[in-house]
Amino acid sequence: MTHVKLYDTTLRDGMQGQGMSLSAAEKVRVVRALDRLGIELVEAGFPSSNPKEAELFDLLADIELETATVCAFGMTRRRGLPAEEDAALRAVAASPVPIVTLVGKTWALHLAKVTRASQEENLAMIADSVGFCRAAAKRVIYDAEHFFDAWRDDSAYALECLRAAAEAGAENVTLCDTNGSSLPGQIAAATASVASELGVEIELGIHTHNDGECAVANSIAAVEAGARLVQGTMNGYGERCGNANLVSILPALQLKLGFDCVPPERLRLLTETAHFLDELTNRQPDPDQPYVGRNAFAHKGGMHAAGVATDARTFEHLDPELVGNAREMVISELSGRGSVAARAERAGIELDDATAARVVARLKEREHRGYHYEAADASFELLLRREAAKYEPLFRLESFRVITEKRADGKVETEATIKIWVDGRRYVRTAEGNGPVNALDRALRDAIGQLHPHLGDIDLVNYKVRILDEHHGTGAVTRVLLDSSEGAESWGTIGVSENIIEASWEALVESLEYAFQPRVRATRAGKEQVEDAGAVRSR
């Protein structure tokens, strides 16, 4: 099996994206996560660019890694300055890591407009810089910036730049599509020509940007044409439209093309790692991201769900467990009995054919009224339980009332009173809140808190309102979606009514009732997890 090295540039290229910033300690966590995933090369950045980068290299010097080798990044020496007198180059050569990556110019446009160096001087800058780092006992990767633009402009000179780096001791020359301007056919043709010209002794790499939405395809095309190192970022982070997304490149190379990139058991950490990076960088994980997104293996149409139930290969391009993801049967008016049965089995609820058919009919009727269960998995499970006679009500409502008062001084106060019955006892509670939903939530938890204290650990983390029939104005039907969490896991519930308070109450109650239900659930390891009535759901 042919080996392809993965080279992660998240800590440098990724941080150039809008709103991206990590502390030195957080960057160490990223390096550890990439090491667990099995990424072979991790670029930590430019050691002399700022105090944070210097701190990072100091921290990395004290940690042990299993699979990853940390690399430092730098540039070729400045024009008219000997390598040994270039402070930035000296800092890279003195960094406490074994590999340095140097970027240099290749395109005549940049030589004329940016560095203002002749072609001969640029070749000397490349050779001198690589040679200086090799003399400092560093392994060197050379990044040929704007290589493919240069190749189309003057392929002979572009090759000379690569030869200058290779002859000075670079172990790899990486071809960069820095502007993201190239298409897969152009990448493949240029990479194949370079491989033929330089021979097998010189390892080629590929570094692409996503300005033309081709970064992943371009990287794969380069590997098929002979590249054996792929640079990219996790989740495609990066400047402008981002860099090549290693999250998509890794499984494509390993599972589809048969290249050896990471140990197979580590590939199962891909989804977890991708989501960890999103959390750490304060970004919302893309539900539609290939391989690792929540919807990557989600099936909504009845025909699709039925096909997957028969043989997953009918509508899935690979087994989601190979990348640490899971199959999801999305419930909607398009769902059939197969989707409903699959969701019931996952929740440990037994359904016969008649009940499953009844659930489908009920589902379609409720979606016609405005319910939308794709984002309300908990509410759908409660629907399943009610139809299957597996539902245990948390309480019985007698009434609730909400009063909102706005005073002349501008202050707004909200008070809610609820009257409920729990285990034959009547509870009346009043609470204030910063709005009607908050006041109702406080009053309800006060009423049931002594009997079910664990429900106090559930937090409402999101509240979304949508008007379904705008032409009715303030009398329109309102849909409320609530996201609730008990820490590590979360679930969604829904309420629909012409009255926004009633819709909110329905979603609020279901968020707590869902956590109250007894359940038997299959874990990914194939074992059953049994939870008593009233236990918070573990998903």
Side-chain angles (χ1 to χ4, degrees), residues 317-339:
H317 64 111
L318 54 79
D319 181 353
E321 291 191 0
L322 294 175
V323 292
N325 208 339
R327 182 174 300 118
E328 183 76 18
M329 295 300 182
V330 178
I331 297 301
S332 76
E333 75 279 3
L334 300 178
S335 300
R337 282 183 293 176
S339 298

Side-chain angles (χ1 to χ4, degrees), residues 508-522:
L508 171 65
V509 170
E510 292 208 341
S511 72
L512 298 177
E513 286 202 320
Y514 174 74
F516 174 72
Q517 304 303 310
R519 65 197 73 258
V520 178
R521 128 172 340 275

Side-chain angles (χ1 to χ4, degrees), residues 18 41 46 54 81 92 104 222 246 274 276 326 330 393 418 445 447 482 504:
Q18 293 293 318
L41 300 167
F46 195 176
L81 190 68
V92 171
L246 289 181
F276 166 74
V330 178
I418 67 166
R445 289 174 191 256
L482 286 183
S504 301

Side-chain angles (χ1 to χ4, degrees), residues 46-305:
F46 195 176
S48 68
S49 62
N50 58 66
K52 184 195 294 186
E53 299 300 289
E55 179 187 359
L56 173 61
F57 278 90
D58 288 340
L59 292 173
L60 291 175
D62 296 328
I63 68 171
E64 293 185 5
L65 301 173
E66 296 180 11
T67 63
T69 299
V70 176
C71 308
F73 177 81
M75 296 178 286
T76 56
R77 67 166 175 82
R78 286 183 290 168
R79 173 177 55 87
L81 190 68
E84 61 273 12
E85 295 182 14
D86 189 305
L89 189 58
R90 287 204 313 269
V92 171
S95 62
V97 296
I99 300 177
V100 299
T101 298
L102 299 178
V103 62
K105 302 299 182 185
T106 314
W107 193 10
L109 176 67
H110 271 248
L111 295 180
K113 301 292 185 178
V114 180
T115 61
R116 301 187 183 279
S118 67
Q119 291 189 351
E120 292 73 17
E121 173 69 2
N122 183 57
L123 294 174
M125 291 160 62
I126 296 170
D128 292 349
S129 302
V130 172
F132 180 75
C133 290
R134 289 293 295 131
K138 300 296 184 184
R139 296 164 55 192
V140 179
I141 294 171
Y142 178 70
D143 279 7
E145 190 179 43
H146 294 97
F147 176 81
F148 294 96
D149 296 294
W151 179 265
R152 289 189 289 271
D153 188 40
D154 185 348
S155 60
Y157 182 70
L159 274 173
E160 282 191 67
C161 292
L162 299 182
R163 286 197 175 97
E167 291 172 1
E171 67 179 50
N172 173 283
V173 291
T174 290
L175 317 180
C176 302
D177 188 36
T178 313
N179 283 349
S181 62
S182 303
L183 299 176
Q186 296 170 318
I187 295 283
T191 304
S193 293
V194 172
S196 176
E197 289 285 343
L198 297 185
V200 296
E201 293 81 11
I202 305 301
E203 181 184 77
L204 298 184
I206 183 68
H207 177 113
T208 63
H209 288 248
N210 203 37
D211 299 75
E213 193 64 20
C214 290
V216 170
N218 284 344
S219 298
I220 293 169
V223 171
E224 291 184 306
R228 292 297 176 260
L229 180 147
V230 179
Q231 296 186 8
T233 62
M234 292 298 290
N235 297 320
Y237 304 147
E239 192 175 23
R240 304 188 310 276
C241 302
N243 285 52
N245 187 355
L246 289 181
V247 173
S248 294
I249 292 169
L250 168 54
L253 292 180
Q254 186 148 324
L255 299 178
K256 295 179 178 292
L257 295 177
F259 290 101
D260 169 38
C261 300
V262 302
E265 67 277 7
R266 293 181 184 260
L267 185 56
R268 296 176 185 270
L269 298 174
L270 184 64
T271 298
E272 173 188 321
T273 306
H275 293 177
F276 166 74
L277 265 293
D278 275 333
E279 291 292 337
L280 196 64
T281 56
N282 198 30
R283 295 167 66 96
Q284 184 70 24
D286 179 3
D288 299 326
Q289 184 172 353
Y291 297 100
V292 301
R294 186 180 67 245
N295 298 334
F297 300 95
H299 306 281
K300 180 176 179 179
M303 182 186 299
H304 288 207

